[in-house]
Amino acid sequence: MRKLLFSLAIMIGVVFTSTADEGMWMLQLLKQQKLSEMHALGLKLEDYDIYNPDGASIKDAVVQFGRGCTGEVISSQGLVLTNHHCGFGQIQQHSSLGNNYLDDGFWAMRQEDELPNPGLTVTFIDQIEEVTAWVKECLVRDRERDKEGIFYLSPAYLNGLAREKAGEQFLNDHPGTEVEIKPFFEGNQYYMFTKKVYSDIRLVGAPPSAIGKFGADTDNWMWPRHTGDFSLFRIYADKEGNPAAFSTSNVPLKPKRWLTISTRGVEEDDFAMILGFPGTTHKYYTSWEVAERRDIDNSVRIRMREVRQDALLEEMLHDPAVKIQYASKYAGSTNAYKNAIGTSWAIDMHNFEQVKRDQQNRLAEWADRKNKPQYTDALKEIECIVKERADLRYRSWMLNEAVNRGVEFSTIPTAIAEHLVKALEDDDQAEAEKLLVQLESAYHQFADKDYNPGVDRKVSKKMIAAYMQAVPEEHYPGAFHLIASDFEGDSDRFVDFLFDQSLFGSEENFRRAVSGATLIESLRNDPMFLFAKSVRDEAASLRAQLASYDVPLSLARRTFMEGMLAMDEPYTHFPDANLTLRISYGKVKGYQPRDGVVYKHQTTIEGVMEKEDPDNWEFVVPEKLKALYSTGDFGPYAMPDGKLPIAFAATTHTTGGNSGSPVMNGAGELIGLNFDRNWEGVGGDIQYLPDYQRSIIVDIRYVLFVIDKFAGAKHLVEEMELR
Ligand code: ARG
Ligand code: ASP
């Protein structure tokens, strides 16, 4: 019996190399891959409703928002919904003390009041085409030029091919159209994307941060969640509907397709699907890369960020001005820190090393049977490279996390300073004047309103001490040796010396030096400049040494992946995320994080009120929201039991880049807006965990409630199509 079960397990393992609900699938292969499973779970649509190369389909309503987020078109007038944290930079840009949209929210009551955002783009995917055979032919054609053998993964080369394929004439005739070829499965397959990029994107609405960022860092990566993480933008185009630079004569885009919205709500186990632009995953890591990620990358990141965040928080809690200055840096730091903790937890808890070892062993046995030694060799090569690069990788992660990120002054503009010294030495007056202007501007960009030298001084002392403890002395960047030779090993005194003596140590020092007669001397001997330059040189040297492993590793990974694809049935695998359009599907579902603890699938306004803490900026609840809560005035957006829904969780496989993605029901109607994952599920970037991984989604009814009842911008809801 046991034996039978065992072979059954193997059979099942062989057939289902991905678990139900796992995967970020490519739209054009839905029929071959997942459509029947999706139908079984509750999808009512056909593949061509989602992706239709010959007509409008749901994919035409899904856009890449900026460079790292997703958004969706939700009206016939080009209205786009995305996350508050995706529009955060724009909302911040328009904010001042007088018009504090971060604190108070922003609502354009008329289209004339919508705010332009230079630099922001929204990208539609017009066409997706497999071009594997053609790219492979070109690689053979161009092999003479490809001295290092890296063209097969090179974005510059591949995008050159894309332009060649599209033709310059076509691109000139279609302003705003861009083409791109991306490698999939480590360079075993290629797809070409024809995109339309709109660049006149205006801010339409954003809730106050107390709604859009409610729970801030404490709740980040956490379920149960109570954040209204959304904002609204509008796409503007020329009169023909083509992309055009900002102009008052532009008009709202009439899109090919927009999503209809369901206000009927969700129940546990309902079908849910997400279209979006996931950024990076590592499904095809080998066991050695899993261990490397935990033992080097994550371990260094966690240790060093703990030191930095503790030091930062102490300063922030001490001084409200510092709290504002460092809010964004602190949030960025904790975001990746918590992710690293969750990933390492999942690696151990669910033995990812064994999962990947099983995958490798399966390949090795198959390769043996089929007499294809190249696949076993590729595995050995990966193992070998990962072992050999361990020390370099450790030092590089340490330098990056502890010094480049932890010591702000390690990023002062050394390159411009060097050019300036050179121009002064050459007595090139004109060049020197130009460079001095550049240096001033670069220094002020570094020492901007959110830079506090007092904080940097304190935090750097902690970071430099931690770095020196963690890295062997012979590997310190050159400037660190001064600490032993000139400061009796006292790194705190060294940091004080840098700040007191350097022209980059304070605005006063900087002013004095640039207006002084001996600028050349001051620059040449500037201790902070010498420190930063030495860190920069060490980083470059580590990068160069590590690069010698990159090419053979990528090649071995390509062969390994080729073996995986050859071994399993066609269409079994989904490619790792690479910022291309994908679909994930699953069910609305809660989970059990720990023994005896059950999390429900849905949260409500009750939880907002439970978390309320007027003394903690992360959990302040706006008065207006409290008033609506106390009268229970939720309009048509309440659940059948009268409560206001806030967020729900689903088993959909998502990652960074999926923020802002539309969450749809079986009929393809919008039911929510993806914005996060639970920390127990972030390991899904390496191995999806059906019992743990959850996408965290704002309930669309909360979004509508905030727009309509809270902000009084009912005209925007009227623009949408509600069902
Ligand atoms: N964890 C989410 C995602 O990576 C949201 C991040 C923004 N929120 C924050 N508190 N930092 O990227
Ligand atoms: N919060 C992420 C994002 O910004 C989404 C995730 O990592 O699940 O894309």
Side-chain angles (χ1 to χ4, degrees):
M1 184 64 184
R2 245 213 183 144
K3 214 162 171 195
L4 179 70
L5 277 181
F6 184 62
S7 44
L8 250 177
I10 289 193
M11 270 174 55
I12 291 170
V14 169
V15 180
F16 298 111
T17 40
S18 58
T19 359
D21 301 359
E22 177 179 15
M24 302 165 178
W25 303 93
M26 300 194 54
L27 303 187
Q28 68 282 8
L29 298 177
L30 258 197
K31 195 159 197 135
Q32 295 91 322
Q33 292 190 303
K34 288 291 157 185
L35 193 63
S36 57
E37 249 177 66
M38 291 167 78
H39 280 153
L41 283 176
L43 175 67
K44 302 280 187 287
L45 305 175
E46 294 307 322
D47 56 338
Y48 49 77
D49 298 315
I50 297 171
Y51 171 75
N52 184 351
D54 307 315
S57 55
I58 287 177
K59 82 113 175 53
D60 295 305
V62 183
V63 295
Q64 185 160 32
F65 185 86
R67 258 171 249 123
C69 278
T70 304
E72 50 277 357
V73 183
I74 54 167
S75 90
S76 61
Q77 297 169 57
L79 195 60
V80 170
L81 179 64
T82 190
N83 289 143
H84 186 265
H85 80 263
C86 294
F88 194 82
Q90 284 74 32
I91 304 166
Q92 183 175 43
Q93 241 174 56
H94 293 296
S95 294
S96 60
L97 281 178
N99 284 323
N100 195 338
Y101 303 140
L102 282 178
D103 279 3
D104 307 333
F106 168 79
W107 302 96
M109 290 300 165
R110 305 167 312 170
Q111 285 184 355
E112 302 88 275
D113 301 333
E114 298 174 355
L115 300 172
N117 301 285
L120 178 64
T121 56
V122 155
T123 304
F124 289 86
I125 305 300
D126 272 352
Q127 266 184 53
I128 308 173
E129 188 187 349
E130 202 199 331
V131 291
T132 307
W134 185 70
V135 169
K136 288 189 173 166
E137 274 167 37
C138 294
L139 283 165
V140 173
R141 180 193 74 190
D142 298 332
R143 67 179 166 242
E144 288 292 301
R145 277 168 51 215
D146 187 10
K147 297 262 175 330
E148 290 153 85
I150 52 168
F151 278 9
Y152 78 104
L153 289 180
S154 152
Y157 175 76
L158 295 171
N159 291 337
L161 290 190
R163 296 185 74 85
E164 181 183 330
K165 190 157 173 57
E168 295 298 330
Q169 188 62 44
F170 171 82
L171 293 170
N172 286 337
D173 291 347
H174 297 84
T177 293
E178 287 180 12
V179 287
E180 180 177 40
I181 290 179
K182 284 221 165 175
F184 290 74
F185 293 118
E186 319 286 333
N188 280 285
Q189 290 176 14
Y190 295 91
Y191 285 84
M192 174 152 148
F193 300 85
T194 307
K195 317 173 184 188
K196 209 170 254 164
V197 184
Y198 287 86
S199 51
D200 185 354
I201 311 299
R202 304 190 196 166
L203 177 63
V204 175
S209 294
I211 287 176
K213 204 178 155 68
F214 182 74
D217 301 311
T218 302
D219 270 10
N220 189 22
W221 300 117
M222 301 290 254
W223 182 258
R225 194 62 158 275
H226 299 87
T227 314
D229 194 344
F230 79 94
S231 58
L232 288 166
F233 288 79
R234 193 185 302 281
I235 307 169
Y236 281 77
D238 69 15
K239 301 234 158 50
E240 279 75 51
N242 289 317
F246 170 80
S247 157
T248 45
S249 63
N250 285 347
V251 294
L253 175 73
K254 300 258 171 284
K256 256 207 243 178
R257 184 64 197 258
W258 56 94
L259 297 180
T260 54
I261 296 172
S262 165
T263 54
R264 296 189 304 276
V266 294
E267 307 265 353
E268 185 143 33
D269 292 322
D270 276 358
F271 174 82
M273 63 178 178
I274 296 187
L275 264 73
F277 293 84
T280 313
T281 56
H282 301 282
K283 162 87 177 163
Y284 303 102
Y285 259 173
T286 57
S287 56
W288 309 291
E289 289 160 299
V290 168
E292 175 181 70
R293 172 77 175 264
R294 177 194 55 207
D295 299 336
I296 300 181
D297 314 2
N298 288 354
S299 148
V300 168
R301 171 161 283 174
I302 293 165
R303 273 154 60 204
M304 290 303 116
R305 289 195 183 203
E306 253 156 29
V307 178
R308 178 173 183 225
Q309 287 160 199
D310 284 351
L312 274 178
L313 195 60
E314 200 181 315
E315 300 304 311
M316 288 165 72
L317 292 178
H318 197 202
D319 180 347
V322 171
K323 201 166 107 194
I324 296 171
Q325 282 184 308
Y326 279 81
S328 177
K329 286 174 190 164
Y330 187 80
S333 181
T334 58
N335 194 38
Y337 163 79
K338 257 187 177 172
N339 184 307
I341 293 176
T343 302
S344 289
W345 173 85
I347 289 173
D348 282 337
M349 184 73 179
H350 307 285
N351 206 347
F352 284 2
E353 274 182 278
Q354 190 56 43
V355 173
K356 301 301 176 190
R357 220 176 281 128
D358 291 345
Q359 175 174 284
Q360 281 143 232
N361 291 344
R362 203 161 61 80
L363 177 65
E365 279 161 27
W366 176 82
D368 254 5
R369 254 185 292 128
K370 299 281 174 184
N371 194 21
K372 292 181 186 297
Q374 68 269 35
Y375 300 133
T376 333
D377 292 348
L379 285 169
K380 284 191 198 125
E381 170 93 354
I382 297 172
E383 178 180 16
C384 195
I385 292 175
V386 170
K387 283 218 170 89
E388 274 178 27
R389 73 175 179 182
D391 181 50
L392 281 171
R393 192 171 177 100
Y394 172 77
R395 281 153 52 198
S396 151
W397 271 81
M398 265 296 168
L399 190 72
N400 186 33
E401 285 287 335
V403 185
N404 288 322
R405 289 171 190 273
V407 176
E408 289 184 83
F409 66 76
S410 72
T411 60
I412 53 170
T414 51
I416 301 177
E418 272 178 307
H419 289 139
L420 177 55
V421 170
K422 175 95 185 22
L424 289 169
E425 281 170 354
D426 297 349
D427 216 11
D428 184 343
Q429 284 297 334
E431 184 67 9
E433 264 166 43
K434 206 177 82 196
L435 285 162
L436 188 58
V437 173
Q438 279 183 25
L439 183 69
E440 291 208 47
S441 126
Y443 172 67
H444 288 121
Q445 218 167 54
F446 160 78
D448 64 4
K449 68 176 181 27
D450 292 336
Y451 176 72
N452 184 317
V455 171
D456 194 18
R457 185 192 289 241
K458 286 198 180 133
V459 175
S460 294
K461 286 179 182 171
K462 300 259 166 60
M463 298 316 298
I464 287 176
Y467 175 82
M468 290 173 69
Q469 243 184 12
V471 172
E473 210 177 314
E474 69 265 29
H475 293 309
Y476 294 168
F480 279 66
H481 296 300
L482 288 176
I483 298 169
S485 63
D486 296 12
F487 296 87
E488 295 158 323
D490 186 344
S491 56
D492 285 6
R493 254 180 58 215
F494 173 65
V495 172
D496 283 330
F497 170 79
L498 296 188
F499 272 96
D500 296 341
Q501 300 301 320
S502 169
L503 65 97
F504 299 103
S506 67
E507 182 63 32
E508 302 85 77
N509 290 5
F510 188 78
R511 288 261 70 81
R512 199 174 328 115
V514 294
S515 53
T518 55
L519 179 59
I520 184 165
E521 284 312 307
S522 320
L523 269 176
R524 253 197 218 129
N525 304 316
D526 188 274
M528 211 177 253
F529 163 73
L530 293 173
F531 175 88
K533 184 168 143 34
S534 138
V535 169
R536 195 188 79 192
D537 291 347
E538 175 66 9
S541 147
L542 286 171
R543 235 187 343 268
Q545 294 175 72
L546 277 165
S548 67
Y549 294 101
D550 292 345
V551 176
L553 181 65
S554 301
L555 283 170
R557 287 195 51 78
R558 180 173 69 175
T559 308
F560 157 61
M561 195 69 237
E562 179 191 288
M564 294 289 296
L565 293 170
M567 168 174 68
D568 292 321
E569 290 294 311
Y571 304 120
T572 309
H573 293 283
F574 65 90
D576 267 319
N578 59 356
L579 274 182
T580 56
L581 184 58
R582 305 293 181 91
I583 184 164
S584 306
Y585 65 92
K587 288 177 179 174
V588 174
K589 217 165 184 49
Y591 67 106
Q592 284 188 248
R594 294 180 297 284
D595 184 40
V597 180
V598 179
Y599 284 157
K600 285 176 43 169
H601 66 284
Q602 175 101 48
T603 62
T604 71
I605 186 117
E606 300 300 326
V608 176
M609 301 314 300
E610 276 169 15
K611 285 179 178 172
E612 187 199 9
D613 179 356
D615 299 325
N616 177 352
W617 68 276
E618 296 187 293
F619 294 99
V620 172
V621 178
E623 287 308 321
K624 177 92 188 272
L625 188 58
K626 284 200 275 190
L628 290 161
Y629 169 72
S630 64
T631 57
D633 182 8
F634 305 139
Y637 311 112
M639 305 197 295
D641 65 4
K643 289 184 182 152
L644 181 69
I646 304 286
F648 63 90
T651 62
T652 36
H653 194 182
T654 49
T655 190
N658 270 122
S659 274
S661 297
V663 184
M664 288 162 280
N665 61 18
E669 297 160 339
L670 189 66
I671 51 177
L673 178 64
N674 186 71
F675 71 101
D676 205 8
R677 270 173 298 161
N678 54 339
W679 75 271
E680 299 95 334
V682 295
D685 286 352
I686 300 176
Q687 182 60 46
Y688 177 79
L689 295 167
D691 294 337
Y692 288 89
Q693 172 150 2
R694 295 295 177 266
S695 303
I696 297 179
I697 297 157
V698 206
D699 195 302
I700 200 68
R701 293 170 294 178
Y702 186 43
V703 171
L704 297 171
F705 162 85
V706 171
I707 299 172
D708 177 352
K709 291 283 184 182
F710 177 85
K714 200 179 173 77
H715 64 287
L716 293 172
V717 176
E718 280 162 359
E719 207 185 306
M720 306 172 198
E721 233 175 89
L722 269 43
R723 300 242 166 98

